[in-house]
Amino acid sequence: MPEPEPHGDPRAADPRPAMDAITPGDGGAMTLATGDARSLDEGPQPGVPGSGKSRSLWSDAWHDLRRNPVFVVSALVIVFLVLIAIWPGLIASGNPLQCDLAKAQEGSQPGHPFGYDTQGCDVYTRTVHGARASIAVGICATAGATLLGSVLGGLAGFFGGWWDALLSRIADIFFGIPIILGGLVFLSVVTSGSVWPVVGFIVLLGWPQISRIARGSVVTAKQNDYVQAARALGAGNKRMLLRHIAPNAVAPVIVVATIALGTYIALEATLSFVGVGLKPPTVSWGIDISNASVQIRNAPHMLLWPAGALSITVLAFIMLGDAVRDALDPKLR
């Protein structure tokens, strides 16, 4: 006599397991093994947290930066400024040192949209060529101050003790020196009008700020569990500092250095304005602003264009630094 067919849930007669089997995965994690042998990992699923390959802080930061209009605009402006600093002939074919006194203080003319200065030099050509000195000072000074401050501050934060105390007291001394007054004293005895004395002075007074940021980041990073685990496994100081601590402590340094770059460009222009920074025949926005300040009523165009270029450059670097800070700081996400 045939057996009656089962009633109710048709899945009751399915010989496969009613629930997915749970099997341990790598590293103690639990994965699901389905009855039809389909793989759970079918690639990242949009909108599902934790699906797909995990991203690092840097990949998350780059993902946010690409979608930040402030970063995009400031980066495009900076790329353009760097290009004309390297190749000013791309948009200005004239010679910034070629002047005609007969055209002194004249306004805009065909082929000379910014007019002429007190010496009869083309303001447009000098404004374009002035980007080279200002940006070179900003980049070189930032690189030097960041490198020196990161090394000294990182070592002080990692080893501590008397080295940390000594570096802190030295940094306090440099923090007590007013920048403009220090520039007047230090650069007044320098006869060279090139960018290197100005770069050296900015590095001399700029590294303490970077060192304090680097020290605090290293002190915070070395207290994390992964650093303690590496130390327990026998990792040396060099390996812990370069492989485990430095990559996780460099983000605040990058943010401060990016913002400081714009500040250093403004500082160079200030020192050149008071006559102790860059000196002729070097073409600089600060020099042109200083020469135009005495004729601001008679020929305001002489001051407008180099001052505007300086303001746009400083603002672009500060906006870039703010965007990078927002992307690298997890608390602001």
Side-chain angles (χ1 to χ4, degrees):
M1 188 173 179
E3 297 181 0
E5 296 182 357
H7 297 282
D9 191 353
R11 290 179 298 178
D14 193 346
R16 292 179 300 178
M19 297 181 60
D20 296 336
I22 301 178
T23 58
D26 295 338
M30 305 301 289
T31 59
L32 298 177
T34 59
D36 56 358
R38 291 180 300 176
S39 173
L40 181 64
D41 188 8
E42 298 178 351
Q45 304 176 11
V48 180
S51 64
K53 185 178 180 180
S54 60
R55 296 186 302 187
S56 64
L57 172 64
W58 300 104
S59 60
D60 282 341
W62 176 241
H63 180 270
D64 294 341
L65 286 174
R66 288 181 300 174
R67 289 157 177 78
N68 189 345
V70 174
F71 171 79
V72 174
V73 173
S74 59
L76 291 176
V77 172
I78 291 172
V79 169
F80 172 74
L81 291 171
V82 171
L83 283 177
I84 66 173
I86 298 174
W87 298 291
L90 290 175
I91 61 174
S93 58
N95 186 353
L97 301 179
Q98 185 178 358
C99 306
D100 185 1
L101 285 175
K103 299 180 179 180
Q105 300 184 16
E106 291 185 2
S108 176
Q109 298 179 4
H112 306 277
F114 293 176
Y116 298 88
D117 62 7
T118 54
Q119 301 297 323
C121 302
D122 185 14
V123 176
Y124 172 77
T125 304
R126 290 187 63 87
T127 301
V128 173
H129 283 260
R132 171 176 294 180
S134 298
I135 293 180
V137 169
I139 293 177
C140 294
T142 303
T146 302
L147 180 61
L148 181 60
S150 298
V151 172
L152 296 179
L155 293 177
F158 182 75
F159 292 105
W162 66 270
W163 171 252
D164 187 14
L166 177 63
L167 182 68
S168 298
R169 301 294 76 78
I170 295 176
D172 291 339
I173 294 175
F174 282 96
F175 272 119
I177 301 177
I179 295 180
I180 303 300
L181 178 60
L184 290 173
V185 174
F186 180 81
L187 296 175
S188 61
V189 299
V190 178
T191 58
S192 174
S194 64
V195 300
W196 299 115
V198 180
V199 169
F201 166 73
I202 296 177
V203 171
L204 183 64
L205 293 188
W207 71 266
Q209 180 187 16
I210 303 295
S211 69
R212 286 197 170 183
I213 300 297
R215 176 191 175 277
S217 299
V218 170
V219 169
T220 302
K222 75 176 184 179
Q223 298 174 356
N224 292 328
D225 293 338
Y226 59 85
V227 177
Q228 303 300 327
R231 187 186 299 274
L233 292 174
N237 291 334
K238 181 179 179 181
R239 179 179 179 84
M240 286 192 299
L241 187 59
L242 298 180
R243 188 176 182 86
H244 300 288
I245 295 179
N248 295 281
V250 72
V253 175
I254 293 177
V255 173
V256 174
T258 306
I259 298 176
L261 201 156
T263 305
Y264 293 158
I265 293 176
L267 177 59
E268 176 274 320
T270 303
L271 295 174
S272 299
F273 180 84
V274 298
V276 297
L278 302 181
K279 301 178 180 63
T282 304
V283 182
S284 169
W285 291 331
I287 295 176
D288 290 349
I289 293 173
S290 177
N291 295 333
S293 61
V294 296
Q295 298 292 337
I296 187 173
R297 293 185 178 182
N298 300 327
H301 65 276
M302 295 169 44
L303 178 66
L304 175 63
W305 298 110
L310 175 64
S311 301
I312 292 174
T313 303
V314 174
L315 180 62
F317 279 105
I318 292 178
M319 290 172 58
L320 181 69
D322 289 340
V324 173
R325 179 198 60 193
D326 295 342
L328 290 179
D329 191 351
K331 297 179 182 178
L332 300 178
R333 295 183 183 275

